[in-house]
Amino acid sequence: MTLPSRRRTADGTAGPEHTTRPAIATLTMNPAIDLCWEVDHLEGIGKNRARVRSVAVGGGGINVARHVVRFGGRATALHTSGGETGLRLNRLLDEEGIDHVAVGIGDDTREALVLFEAGSHRSYHIVPPGPRLSEREGQRCLDVLGRFTGRCPYVVASGSLPGGLPDDYFATVAHHVKGAGSRLILDTSGPALRAALAEGVFLFRCNRTEAESLTGSPVNGFDDARALNDRLLSTGAAEIAVTTLGALGALCSTADGHTELYAPPLPGTPLSDAGAGDSMVAALTTELAAGADPVRACALGVATAAAAMLTPSTEPFDVDVARSLRPLVRTSRGRAV
């Protein structure tokens, strides 16, 4: 069934169905159409016969918006869109019923391939760099975002920065969001990450790889994560720092101290960690927007990341499973949150 279009114009206006102001805005500068193919066994010689498992729109902020809605929240996804792939991306989001604003660009939106090998339950995510944006296109995205900041208490900037934009682009986003009175939740990597942290954000989530890029040394456990989060808070890089540690869990740090959250035992075989980070950010942002404190919000995030591990490739996690795992998330004091 094709749902009515929920796409807004680039000025942020919409029809009567959008009279309720969204609580969360997400920004995806480098989205993609994820093509998921399945093979029984990946062979190095000859043809690999594949089945199309799914075709869906991906990209950090879009994934976050999708899951916020699945948790019962409200979100609008702001994203770039270019060429024939961009038109298809817009159509897929319309059919999915995601409230979104497409900002047109000259270059083609990228396509990514997720290859799932059924025999081994392994997923291979193959992602091209994506389009190059001009300075004017980057400014247009900021202009569109400006029509949501202030009206939305939380803005999530998630995913990679496309070519052509300066490394301090997310720092500029952070400056605009703070100036409008909204709170920025950041989940990115590379030089764009360092520049944004120099500006300062409300909440920063990083995985172990991103944490190691900031520290220059391995981040193996809670002690290593605590040292990083201390630095982020003391320098004003973030008001809340969340460092995830894979199967171990996550460390949530605020001015009130550090809380270790241990990942719950999985009720099944882990299939893929793709999408776990976006799922976690969606859960904790939904909880924060509903008024939860950071630790309780992070607890649902840890449970949701665990639920995402049970699905192959980038397929959506089971919301009921995520909620059922939340009571199993323990703090460093062994207390359920």
XYZ file of all heavy atoms in Angstrom, residues 186-252:
477
model
N 24.876 14.688 18.530
C 25.798 14.466 17.420
C 26.295 13.029 17.403
O 26.684 12.484 18.439
C 26.993 15.418 17.532
C 28.068 15.288 16.449
C 27.531 15.753 15.094
C 29.317 16.104 16.829
N 26.311 12.441 16.194
C 26.846 11.095 15.998
C 27.509 11.063 14.631
O 26.863 10.799 13.616
C 25.726 10.058 16.093
C 26.258 8.619 16.060
O 27.483 8.442 16.001
O 25.436 7.689 16.097
N 28.793 11.379 14.600
C 29.535 11.396 13.345
C 30.970 10.982 13.629
O 31.289 10.527 14.728
C 29.460 12.789 12.671
O 29.996 12.710 11.345
C 30.216 13.841 13.468
N 31.855 11.154 12.643
C 33.235 10.702 12.805
C 34.158 11.570 11.969
O 33.719 12.433 11.204
C 33.364 9.230 12.391
O 32.977 9.069 11.027
N 35.469 11.318 12.104
C 36.461 11.993 11.290
C 36.705 13.441 11.677
O 36.346 13.889 12.769
N 37.320 14.206 10.767
C 37.635 15.608 11.055
C 36.407 16.438 11.408
O 36.495 17.369 12.214
C 38.268 16.098 9.750
C 38.821 14.869 9.102
C 37.866 13.774 9.454
N 35.265 16.114 10.816
C 34.041 16.858 11.123
C 33.658 16.707 12.588
O 33.084 17.622 13.193
C 32.899 16.378 10.231
N 33.978 15.551 13.169
C 33.680 15.307 14.570
C 34.519 16.215 15.464
O 34.000 16.857 16.377
C 33.945 13.840 14.898
C 33.985 13.453 16.374
C 32.670 13.779 17.061
C 34.319 11.971 16.523
N 35.806 16.278 15.220
C 36.684 17.091 16.061
C 36.289 18.562 16.023
O 36.290 19.250 17.057
C 38.137 16.920 15.604
C 38.691 15.526 15.877
C 40.155 15.434 15.444
N 40.713 14.126 15.768
C 41.256 13.813 16.928
N 41.310 14.725 17.894
N 41.749 12.604 17.139
N 35.951 19.059 14.850
C 35.567 20.462 14.729
C 34.278 20.746 15.487
O 34.143 21.791 16.149
C 35.412 20.837 13.258
N 33.320 19.820 15.408
C 32.043 20.027 16.094
C 32.232 20.003 17.610
O 31.595 20.782 18.337
C 31.040 18.963 15.661
N 33.102 19.116 18.101
C 33.339 19.044 19.538
C 34.039 20.305 20.039
O 33.862 20.706 21.193
C 34.158 17.807 19.875
C 33.451 16.460 19.664
C 34.376 15.306 20.013
C 32.163 16.377 20.482
N 34.836 20.942 19.186
C 35.462 22.203 19.567
C 34.414 23.285 19.763
O 34.571 24.186 20.601
C 36.478 22.624 18.509
N 33.327 23.213 19.005
C 32.225 24.159 19.158
C 31.388 23.826 20.388
O 30.916 24.719 21.095
C 31.337 24.130 17.904
C 30.044 24.921 17.996
C 30.262 26.409 18.121
O 31.284 26.909 17.585
O 29.423 27.088 18.755
N 31.210 22.517 20.658
C 30.419 22.066 21.801
C 29.020 21.654 21.394
O 28.358 22.344 20.612
N 28.569 20.501 21.905
C 27.242 19.982 21.603
C 26.562 19.589 22.914
O 27.207 19.516 23.960
C 27.307 18.769 20.648
C 27.989 19.144 19.345
C 28.022 17.590 21.307
N 25.255 19.319 22.837
C 24.527 18.891 24.032
C 24.882 17.455 24.393
O 25.255 17.163 25.526
C 23.020 19.023 23.813
C 22.193 18.442 24.925
C 22.166 19.032 26.180
C 21.442 17.287 24.719
C 21.429 18.476 27.219
C 20.694 16.738 25.748
C 20.685 17.339 26.997
N 24.788 16.554 23.417
C 25.085 15.143 23.660
C 25.897 14.598 22.504
O 25.571 14.845 21.340
C 23.804 14.332 23.844
C 23.952 12.852 24.246
C 22.742 12.398 25.068
C 24.098 11.928 23.023
N 26.934 13.872 22.851
C 27.772 13.226 21.848
C 27.804 11.732 22.109
O 28.060 11.296 23.234
C 29.191 13.789 21.887
C 30.178 13.010 21.067
C 29.964 12.804 19.707
C 31.325 12.482 21.640
C 30.873 12.077 18.944
C 32.240 11.756 20.888
C 32.011 11.557 19.536
N 27.498 10.940 21.062
C 27.588 9.494 21.170
C 28.680 9.009 20.234
O 28.745 9.388 19.060
C 26.272 8.817 20.778
C 26.321 7.297 21.074
C 25.635 6.467 20.026
N 26.312 6.370 18.759
C 26.979 5.303 18.314
N 27.152 4.241 19.056
N 27.513 5.296 17.104
N 29.561 8.187 20.763
C 30.594 7.615 19.907
C 30.738 6.129 20.205
O 30.478 5.682 21.329
C 31.928 8.329 20.081
S 32.708 8.141 21.698
N 31.143 5.393 19.190
C 31.443 3.984 19.407
C 32.922 3.831 19.730
O 33.664 4.817 19.822
C 31.023 3.133 18.202
C 31.742 3.549 16.926
O 32.857 4.063 16.957
N 31.104 3.321 15.788
N 33.361 2.611 19.873
C 34.739 2.370 20.296
C 35.735 2.886 19.260
O 36.772 3.477 19.621
C 34.928 0.874 20.539
C 36.272 0.513 21.135
C 36.301 -0.975 21.462
N 35.427 -1.285 22.580
C 35.095 -2.540 22.922
N 35.530 -3.561 22.215
N 34.315 -2.754 23.963
N 35.440 2.692 17.982
C 36.352 3.156 16.929
C 36.494 4.670 16.955
O 37.605 5.213 16.865
C 35.848 2.692 15.553
O 35.781 1.261 15.530
C 36.767 3.171 14.446
N 35.368 5.360 17.056
C 35.409 6.822 17.102
C 36.101 7.311 18.369
O 36.839 8.305 18.345
C 33.985 7.377 17.019
C 33.341 7.142 15.658
C 31.827 7.028 15.731
O 31.280 7.115 16.848
O 31.211 6.827 14.669
N 35.875 6.604 19.477
C 36.534 6.975 20.735
C 38.049 6.863 20.598
O 38.795 7.740 21.053
C 36.026 6.091 21.869
N 38.504 5.788 19.959
C 39.943 5.590 19.796
C 40.554 6.651 18.883
O 41.711 7.048 19.058
C 40.210 4.190 19.270
C 39.898 3.101 20.302
C 40.030 1.694 19.756
O 40.286 1.560 18.533
O 39.887 0.736 20.543
N 39.765 7.141 17.908
C 40.273 8.203 17.038
C 40.464 9.508 17.812
O 41.302 10.336 17.448
C 39.311 8.422 15.865
O 38.146 9.120 16.277
N 39.703 9.692 18.875
C 39.826 10.897 19.695
C 40.937 10.779 20.732
O 41.613 11.755 21.054
C 38.499 11.194 20.396
C 37.327 11.607 19.499
C 36.039 11.698 20.308
C 37.612 12.939 18.821
N 41.113 9.573 21.266
C 42.118 9.386 22.317
C 43.488 9.034 21.771
O 44.511 9.269 22.425
C 41.685 8.277 23.291
O 41.605 7.031 22.575
C 40.324 8.596 23.906
N 43.527 8.440 20.575
C 44.794 7.986 20.017
C 45.293 6.708 20.635
O 46.439 6.290 20.402
N 44.451 6.050 21.421
C 44.831 4.795 22.068
C 43.611 3.898 22.179
O 42.467 4.373 22.062
C 45.420 5.064 23.459
O 44.496 5.768 24.265
N 43.798 2.599 22.426
C 42.655 1.682 22.497
C 41.685 2.051 23.617
O 42.093 2.515 24.686
C 43.316 0.325 22.773
C 44.702 0.466 22.263
C 45.087 1.886 22.528
N 40.400 1.852 23.352
C 39.357 2.038 24.354
C 38.741 0.664 24.579
O 37.863 0.233 23.838
C 38.305 3.068 23.896
C 37.177 3.191 24.921
C 38.958 4.425 23.681
N 39.225 -0.025 25.602
C 38.858 -1.417 25.804
C 37.762 -1.635 26.830
O 37.151 -2.701 26.861
C 40.096 -2.220 26.223
C 41.142 -2.280 25.124
O 40.801 -2.463 23.962
N 42.404 -2.107 25.489
N 37.545 -0.665 27.696
C 36.559 -0.870 28.755
C 36.096 0.432 29.362
O 36.362 1.525 28.849
N 35.406 0.316 30.482
C 34.800 1.483 31.114
C 35.836 2.498 31.598
O 35.592 3.704 31.544
C 33.906 1.048 32.276
C 32.617 0.400 31.833
C 32.363 -0.935 32.113
C 31.664 1.123 31.138
C 31.179 -1.530 31.707
C 30.478 0.539 30.732
C 30.227 -0.797 31.018
N 36.979 2.046 32.067
C 37.995 2.985 32.540
C 38.490 3.871 31.399
O 38.652 5.089 31.569
C 39.174 2.231 33.169
C 38.819 1.622 34.519
O 37.809 2.056 35.115
O 39.542 0.718 34.967
N 38.738 3.272 30.244
C 39.169 4.047 29.075
C 38.073 5.012 28.639
O 38.348 6.169 28.298
C 39.525 3.113 27.922
C 40.690 2.196 28.245
O 41.582 2.626 28.996
O 40.687 1.047 27.751
N 36.839 4.536 28.643
C 35.719 5.391 28.248
C 35.541 6.543 29.238
O 35.222 7.672 28.840
C 34.438 4.574 28.153
N 35.769 6.274 30.514
C 35.625 7.312 31.544
C 36.639 8.433 31.329
O 36.320 9.616 31.474
C 35.776 6.702 32.931
C 35.456 7.671 34.071
C 35.555 6.986 35.420
N 34.521 5.954 35.567
C 34.742 4.653 35.503
N 35.973 4.202 35.305
N 33.759 3.789 35.638
N 37.859 8.074 30.966
C 38.889 9.077 30.717
C 38.498 9.972 29.546
O 38.665 11.204 29.599
C 40.228 8.399 30.442
N 37.957 9.363 28.479
C 37.510 10.154 27.330
C 36.336 11.046 27.707
O 36.334 12.246 27.411
C 37.110 9.231 26.181
C 36.400 9.916 25.000
C 37.304 10.961 24.358
C 35.936 8.892 23.972
N 35.331 10.485 28.354
C 34.139 11.267 28.701
C 34.482 12.403 29.649
O 33.909 13.502 29.563
C 33.075 10.352 29.296
C 32.430 9.457 28.257
O 32.859 9.429 27.104
N 31.410 8.719 28.647
N 35.408 12.167 30.578
C 35.862 13.237 31.475
C 36.419 14.407 30.679
O 36.133 15.580 30.964
C 36.942 12.705 32.423
C 36.374 12.212 33.746
O 35.296 12.701 34.152
O 36.993 11.332 34.368
N 37.215 14.074 29.675
C 37.816 15.121 28.855
C 36.754 15.878 28.062
O 36.814 17.107 27.950
C 38.847 14.503 27.903
C 39.749 15.530 27.231
C 40.790 14.853 26.373
N 40.279 14.557 25.045
C 40.909 13.791 24.156
N 42.036 13.198 24.491
N 40.392 13.589 22.969
N 35.791 15.160 27.517
C 34.736 15.802 26.737
C 33.921 16.768 27.601
O 33.591 17.870 27.175
C 33.816 14.740 26.128
C 34.438 13.837 25.056
C 33.493 12.704 24.700
C 34.781 14.651 23.804
N 33.610 16.343 28.822
C 32.818 17.193 29.701
C 33.625 18.383 30.222
O 33.135 19.511 30.269
C 32.262 16.385 30.871
C 30.871 15.762 30.684
C 30.824 14.822 29.501
C 30.434 15.024 31.944
N 34.870 18.138 30.600
C 35.676 19.201 31.211
C 36.045 20.293 30.216
O 36.232 21.455 30.602
C 36.947 18.613 31.830
O 37.782 18.045 30.830
N 36.145 19.936 28.936
C 36.492 20.929 27.917
C 35.275 21.608 27.317
O 35.422 22.495 26.477
C 37.296 20.270 26.779
O 36.514 19.219 26.189
C 38.611 19.697 27.297
N 34.083 21.184 27.724
C 32.871 21.774 27.169
C 32.491 21.230 25.810
O 31.625 21.785 25.126
N 33.132 20.132 25.399
C 32.808 19.523 24.101
C 31.395 18.964 24.091
O 30.728 18.948 23.053
C 33.803 18.422 23.774
N 30.922 18.480 25.252
C 29.569 17.924 25.359
C 29.078 18.074 26.786
O 29.867 18.034 27.737
C 29.565 16.453 24.952
N 27.760 18.263 26.915
C 27.140 18.263 28.241
C 26.866 16.838 28.712
O 26.883 16.550 29.906
C 25.836 19.060 28.213
C 26.007 20.537 27.917
C 24.685 21.273 27.897
O 23.830 20.993 28.759
O 24.502 22.120 26.998
N 26.598 15.957 27.752
C 26.402 14.537 28.015
C 27.271 13.768 27.027
O 27.236 14.038 25.821
C 24.933 14.116 27.855
C 24.015 14.926 28.773
C 24.755 12.622 28.103
C 22.540 14.717 28.505
N 28.060 12.838 27.525
C 28.908 12.009 26.665
C 28.516 10.549 26.840
O 28.460 10.051 27.969
C 30.383 12.209 27.009
N 28.243 9.889 25.736
C 27.886 8.470 25.757
C 28.874 7.728 24.867
O 28.920 7.946 23.649
C 26.448 8.238 25.259
C 26.135 6.750 25.231
C 25.445 8.985 26.127
N 29.678 6.870 25.481
C 30.627 6.051 24.733
C 30.168 4.601 24.796
O 30.020 4.047 25.883
C 32.048 6.179 25.312
O 32.478 7.536 25.189
C 33.021 5.287 24.554
N 29.922 4.022 23.634
C 29.468 2.636 23.594
C 30.658 1.701 23.465
O 31.664 2.021 22.822
C 28.487 2.414 22.432
O 29.132 2.728 21.187
C 27.269 3.309 22.575
N 30.524 0.522 24.058
C 31.630 -0.427 24.154
C 31.237 -1.802 23.637
O 31.609 -2.833 24.208
C 32.097 -0.521 25.608
C 32.627 0.796 26.206
C 32.739 0.690 27.718
C 33.968 1.155 25.583
N 30.468 -1.835 22.567
C 30.083 -3.099 21.965
C 29.269 -3.960 22.907
O 28.347 -3.482 23.573
N 29.637 -5.226 22.998
C 28.883 -6.179 23.809
C 28.969 -5.886 25.300
O 28.166 -6.402 26.084
C 29.381 -7.602 23.544
N 29.916 -5.032 25.696
C 30.048 -4.689 27.115
C 28.939 -3.756 27.569
O 28.405 -3.897 28.676
C 31.417 -4.053 27.375
C 31.784 -3.742 28.826
C 31.756 -5.020 29.673
C 33.166 -3.089 28.885
N 28.568 -2.789 26.729
C 27.518 -1.842 27.095
C 27.907 -0.430 26.727
O 28.453 -0.186 25.648
N 27.677 0.520 27.639
C 27.967 1.921 27.358
C 28.228 2.664 28.651
O 27.768 2.262 29.729
C 26.807 2.569 26.597
N 28.961 3.778 28.539
C 29.190 4.670 29.665
C 28.485 5.979 29.377
O 28.746 6.622 28.359
C 30.684 4.915 29.883
C 31.013 5.809 31.083
C 30.783 5.042 32.388
C 32.459 6.312 31.011
N 27.581 6.381 30.264
C 26.856 7.641 30.150
C 27.416 8.599 31.203
O 27.385 8.296 32.400
C 25.366 7.418 30.363
S 24.375 8.939 30.310
